[in-house]
Amino acid sequence: MLPRRLPAFLLLCLLAIPGLDSHAQDAGATTGGQERGLISRLLGGGDEELLPPEQAFPTSLDVVADDVVVARWSTAEGYYLYLDRLDFAVEGNAIEGYELPDGRIIDDPNFGEMEVMYGPLEVYLQLEEPIADGDVLVADYQGCADSGLCYPPMTARFELASGDVESAIGGGPPPGGTSSTGDRFGALLDGGSIWTMLGAFFVAGIALAFTACMYPLIPILSGLIAGDAQRSSGRALLLSLVFVQATAVTYALAGAAAGLTGSAIQAQLQSPLVLGGFAAIFVAMALAMFGLYNIQMPAALQSRLAAIGGQRGGNLLGAAIMGVFSALIVGACSGPALIAALVFISNSGDAWLGGAALFAMANGMGLPLLLVGTAFGRWLPRGGPWMVRMKQAFGFVFLGVAIWMVARLLPAPVELALWAALLLGAAIWLGFAVGAGGTTLVTRFRQAAAGTAGLWAVLMLVGAALGGGSPLQPLAALTGTAGEERAAVPWESVASADELDDMLQRAAASGRPVMIDVYADWCVYCVQLDESTFRDPAVLDAVKAAIPIKVDVTAMAQRDRDLLRYLDVFLPPAVIFVDADGVEHRDRRVVGYVGPDEFERIARRALSGDDTEQL
Amino acid sequence: MTAATGAAPRLLLALAVVAGLAAGAAGWYVWQLSQPDIRPEFSLPDLDGQPRSISDWDGDVIALNFWASWCPPCIKEIPLFNELQAEYGDQGLQFVGVALDRLENARDFAEQLELAYPTMQGVQEAMTVGESYGNADGLLPYTVIIDRRGRIVDRFHGEVTRDDIEPVIRQLL
């Protein structure tokens, strides 16, 4: 009975955490300086919460004619700018004149009448000469919040030729955390309540859990539960929890390290040695599942663990270790939320907040696993011949995971042959080794399934011998359908960062936009992008104006690391758009898998270059 | 079912331990936050260019006010500070200003407002001081109350009224 109450208990614990908020609010008023950033986020919707200056007074610039620009402030509600504190200058050019709109007059006893502007503000500036390269508009502005707090004088600098903007406060360095990704996750990290932020990353994690990248984790966890000596739903929940928390902590730590060092450990681990070793572990576990031997930990370690946590410590530790490796090797998947957190960490150095976001995301990714694992543990037979068969079945699943892992390093026909061998083995096992038992009907059905699987496995072997690669269409090579490749993007490959730099410069000189695809064979989403998105006719049409460059970092050699660093990419996939002027539209980067429709939309906007309002 | 019934209490125990540790850590953190901080040491030039240190006023109850000429609410509350300085000065209250401003602007306003207490001044350095006192974004006005033992006992973001600040000061005198 107790295990049934456990989920409710856990839920209660989770719900109790936001309750801290009210206590933290009292304490927050008297808190120390360094923590203020985080604390003010903890306070969430408190009255004292003030937007960071770049969100209170977002600034942008449009070039409307070759000698007219318009500076815009979309001042947030409850904030205002002092019109008489606005000041403009153009480096490399001069301002002929500009006109300010009428603001609201407030009578200040010390300053006299002052004109302030609530809401959006537009200032048209007439320049003396047409804009040339290197012209920079410098705008000084200052504003306050209705709550009675004032922001220090701010300065925004706009590169008029390229449309780039950087802002600075009080002449100091640009404020940390001004994420250039411009996406909603970056914005959440830069401001807003920490609970909203964690919640959003959690939900993003749940969405990620249902993508191809996370599928292998389900058999891994199920196998761990099936292979466990003890058995109960509570036990399955505990094992799943340990596994999921291990992945979450790993994600958070690896993410913090990646953000601070600029390179993701997940990418470094995609070497044949690591993948082969991990696959070997799964083969060993599969053999143990087949009953060839029992996996035992060294006796000394085992007895120590037994002393700490009862005899179950061993398998819990196993689950934790598998969780860590699964996060690093299997789940090396990029995604907008992951990249936003990494960019936030590397921009702001705030590894705590970024790590917390990743932790929340990984918990979201783990939630379905938790449910699957617990349900599986409940449904699993408690012992007897059924249990033995179940373990053997998972032996095959583990072998499948091992193949999946090394498949990214193997040619397609070899991969197909391996799958065929696995399927053939499973068919033979299903047909003969499972043994008698059950009604005639069940036996018949089993034999029919075994026969079908065996036949298909033979077809796959034939397909592999013919050079085919698709498990679902093993004989495609025979019928010739494989030859009719659908049109794909005509990628140019690039070998080094220097070469890429060279290509970009030539493209800018000839006024052509560029699309760069950062790709790796081991990156599930990259392969998906290649096989579906980059073969869609609408997508091909949308990107035909751009020079397509493929950066293949499969090997993760030094030159690949240099390329990633040059492009400021943590993990593939990343599709980067550079417009005809040679300027990258950072907020239009595609990280993670995006379907053809959405990709077409993003590509059209990024390559048309009419998104200057998106500064 | 023996395994199930045997596992559940231990599992519950493990979860209770985890929950207890989490609650303990959270409690410690909240307690930690509620503890007064010792005021950071700093020195900045005053309006005559003489270096002044916050430790010059050790032993007094200090109201440290960050202000600027570009900040209307700051200017608005300074007459109140002048009054409070006059009323409680002989009991050991000392207002100290830090202007996040250029020297000439700060000097003009100090004269115009007949500032009745010393003020220091600086731009980037004063911003850094504000940050070390818990005002990361340089938002003004910002006022910190420090007791006779150098502990920060209260912080005010934004303009203060007599009702806000007087009880805090009286309690410390």
Side-chain angles (χ1 to χ4, degrees):
Chain A
M1 288 298 104
L2 267 174
R4 204 174 287 173
R5 259 182 260 143
L6 277 174
F9 174 68
L10 282 175
L11 194 66
L12 210 68
C13 290
L14 284 172
L15 287 176
I17 297 169
L20 279 174
D21 204 5
S22 55
H23 304 291
Q25 194 135 12
D26 306 333
T30 57
T31 188
Q34 311 86 311
E35 286 123 317
R36 191 189 161 264
L38 192 58
I39 292 303
S40 64
R41 288 184 173 97
L42 269 170
L43 295 180
D47 303 330
E48 298 282 306
E49 179 78 355
L50 275 168
L51 295 173
E54 65 275 11
Q55 281 176 31
F57 310 103
T59 322
S60 62
L61 178 92
D62 261 349
V63 177
V64 290
D66 67 350
D67 59 352
V68 181
V69 295
V70 49
R72 291 200 177 89
W73 282 265
S74 359
T75 307
E77 207 182 317
Y79 296 78
Y80 56 90
L81 285 168
Y82 285 100
L83 284 181
D84 47 1
R85 296 250 166 77
L86 279 172
D87 198 15
F88 297 95
V90 181
E91 293 170 6
N93 203 327
I95 297 170
E96 204 172 278
Y98 62 88
E99 217 165 285
L100 294 175
D102 287 334
R104 192 189 293 181
I105 305 287
I106 39 176
D107 197 16
D108 190 284
N110 297 99
F111 293 90
E113 285 190 349
M114 299 187 75
E115 207 174 352
V116 300
M117 192 72 197
Y118 282 87
L121 167 65
E122 277 189 348
V123 183
Y124 282 81
L125 297 127
Q126 173 68 52
L127 305 182
E128 277 182 5
E129 287 164 41
I131 294 165
D133 268 351
D135 285 3
V136 177
L137 173 71
V138 183
D140 293 321
Y141 56 104
Q142 201 251 314
C144 302
D146 277 344
S147 58
L149 274 162
C150 289
Y151 289 79
M154 290 160 269
T155 303
R157 295 172 60 86
F158 300 95
E159 300 263 357
L160 293 184
S162 67
D164 275 356
V165 57
E166 58 178 289
S167 63
I169 297 170
T178 318
S179 159
S180 47
T181 52
D183 63 41
R184 57 210 156 94
F185 290 108
L188 274 168
L189 279 162
D190 282 338
S193 138
I194 192 170
W195 298 113
T196 321
M197 183 277 283
L198 290 180
F201 274 85
F202 185 76
V203 172
I206 294 179
L208 212 58
F210 297 101
T211 63
C213 191
M214 298 298 293
Y215 294 157
L217 295 192
I218 296 174
I220 292 177
L221 175 61
S222 308
L224 283 173
I225 292 167
D228 187 35
Q230 274 98 51
R231 195 138 292 112
S232 74
S233 329
R235 172 73 179 166
L237 171 65
L238 183 61
L239 269 176
S240 311
L241 198 64
V242 168
F243 181 82
V244 168
Q245 290 313 307
T247 61
V249 169
T250 308
Y251 257 106
L253 292 180
L260 295 177
T261 62
S263 77
I265 188 169
Q266 287 97 320
Q268 314 281 351
L269 284 176
Q270 304 295 327
S271 73
L273 217 60
V274 175
L275 288 171
F278 203 50
I281 293 178
F282 276 95
V283 172
M285 283 169 58
L287 295 182
M289 289 293 208
F290 292 140
L292 289 185
Y293 52 86
N294 272 319
I295 294 186
Q296 289 282 355
M297 286 207 292
L301 189 60
Q302 208 172 24
S303 61
R304 190 176 301 165
L305 284 168
I308 303 168
Q311 289 196 327
R312 306 185 199 82
N315 270 325
L316 289 184
L317 188 69
I321 293 171
M322 287 313 281
V324 171
F325 284 116
S326 298
L328 288 180
I329 299 169
V330 184
C333 291
S334 187
L338 176 67
I339 297 304
L342 295 186
V343 168
F344 171 80
I345 295 170
S346 72
N347 279 352
S348 70
D350 190 347
W352 286 108
L353 193 64
L358 288 174
F359 185 75
M361 186 185 83
N363 266 296
M365 281 156 57
L367 186 68
L369 279 177
L370 213 57
L371 299 177
V372 167
T374 311
F376 182 71
R378 168 161 285 246
W379 163 79
L380 203 64
R382 294 279 186 264
W386 254 108
M387 189 56 226
V388 175
R389 273 176 233 149
M390 182 58 71
K391 276 190 166 188
Q392 290 170 341
F394 267 100
F396 286 106
V397 172
F398 277 176
L399 286 177
V401 172
I403 295 176
W404 182 85
M405 210 116 49
V406 291
R408 26 186 126 167
L409 306 169
L410 299 174
V414 177
E415 182 195 349
L416 186 60
L418 281 174
W419 285 119
L422 179 67
L423 188 61
L424 199 60
I428 292 169
W429 170 76
L430 194 62
F432 303 103
V434 170
T439 60
T440 3
L441 191 68
V442 170
T443 312
R444 286 267 162 77
F445 182 74
R446 209 186 59 224
Q447 281 170 345
T452 314
L455 195 63
W456 195 255
V458 171
L459 288 179
M460 279 163 73
L461 266 180
V462 173
L466 289 170
S470 161
L472 292 179
Q473 289 175 289
L475 299 182
L478 265 187
T479 59
T481 44
E484 291 175 28
E485 285 268 300
R486 280 191 291 159
V489 178
W491 298 105
E492 289 182 38
S493 63
V494 64
S496 69
D498 286 343
E499 195 186 323
L500 180 60
D501 193 53
D502 214 43
M503 287 170 95
L504 287 176
Q505 282 187 9
R506 269 185 286 129
S510 60
R512 283 193 68 185
V514 177
M515 174 175 72
I516 305 168
D517 176 34
V518 183
Y519 170 94
D521 286 345
W522 42 262
C523 152
V524 179
Y525 297 141
C526 302
V527 176
Q528 272 187 307
L529 274 174
D530 246 25
E531 289 181 354
S532 74
T533 305
F534 286 136
R535 289 181 189 276
D536 187 272
V539 170
L540 292 181
D541 184 60
V543 302
K544 66 173 187 291
I547 302 173
I549 300 178
K550 177 157 277 183
V551 174
D552 188 336
V553 297
T554 302
M556 275 311 282
Q558 189 54 47
R559 61 173 194 95
D560 300 322
R561 287 190 207 118
D562 292 343
L563 275 164
L564 288 182
R565 202 168 277 276
Y566 173 80
L567 290 168
D568 204 5
V569 166
F570 287 101
L571 279 172
V575 183
I576 298 165
F577 298 101
V578 180
D579 69 17
D581 298 324
V583 180
E584 195 217 320
H585 289 260
R586 192 89 204 214
D587 51 337
R588 295 258 181 276
R589 266 191 188 196
V590 171
V591 290
Y593 175 74
V594 168
D597 294 345
E598 197 187 344
F599 190 91
E600 185 204 345
R601 201 170 45 74
I602 296 171
R604 285 200 191 280
R605 289 175 71 177
L607 293 172
S608 66
D610 65 348
D611 57 351
T612 23
E613 80 275 13
Q614 283 292 331
L615 292 173
Chain B
M1 282 315 281
T2 47
T5 45
R10 289 206 192 172
L11 175 57
L12 199 59
L13 189 70
L15 285 172
V17 168
V18 170
L21 284 175
W28 179 82
Y29 186 61
V30 169
W31 175 83
Q32 178 87 349
L33 290 180
S34 69
Q35 290 307 296
D37 295 339
I38 298 298
R39 56 132 190 81
E41 179 67 47
F42 73 90
S43 59
L44 285 173
D46 66 12
L47 295 183
D48 300 323
Q50 299 301 313
R52 302 296 290 264
S53 165
I54 187 68
S55 57
D56 292 353
W57 298 282
D58 276 353
D60 286 335
V61 173
I62 303 173
L64 185 63
N65 171 242
F66 294 84
W67 66 285
S69 64
W70 44 260
C71 161
C74 302
I75 303 304
K76 215 168 133 196
E77 66 182 359
I78 283 177
L80 166 69
F81 295 163
N82 280 340
E83 285 169 27
L84 289 169
Q85 183 62 46
E87 286 169 44
Y88 296 104
D90 48 359
Q91 295 179 46
L93 172 69
Q94 184 59 57
F95 268 89
V96 177
V98 174
L100 274 72
D101 217 335
R102 280 194 285 270
L103 179 59
E104 56 271 32
N105 292 350
R107 211 183 260 156
D108 285 354
F109 269 82
E111 248 167 60
Q112 191 185 326
L113 293 161
E114 294 169 354
L115 203 65
Y117 50 88
T119 188
M120 301 184 248
Q121 164 275 331
V123 181
Q124 202 54 51
E125 312 78 34
M127 195 96 147
T128 312
V129 171
E131 219 169 285
S132 71
Y133 276 80
N135 186 25
D137 293 329
L139 294 172
L140 295 187
Y142 179 59
T143 307
V144 176
I145 309 292
I146 301 163
D147 74 4
R148 292 183 194 273
R149 288 157 64 186
R151 294 179 307 189
I152 296 177
V153 292
D154 217 336
R155 297 159 199 267
F156 297 95
H157 291 274
E159 192 183 332
V160 297
T161 62
R162 183 178 274 269
D163 291 345
D164 292 330
I165 198 170
E166 197 175 16
V168 181
I169 289 170
R170 289 180 75 131
Q171 209 177 357
L172 296 176
L173 290 173

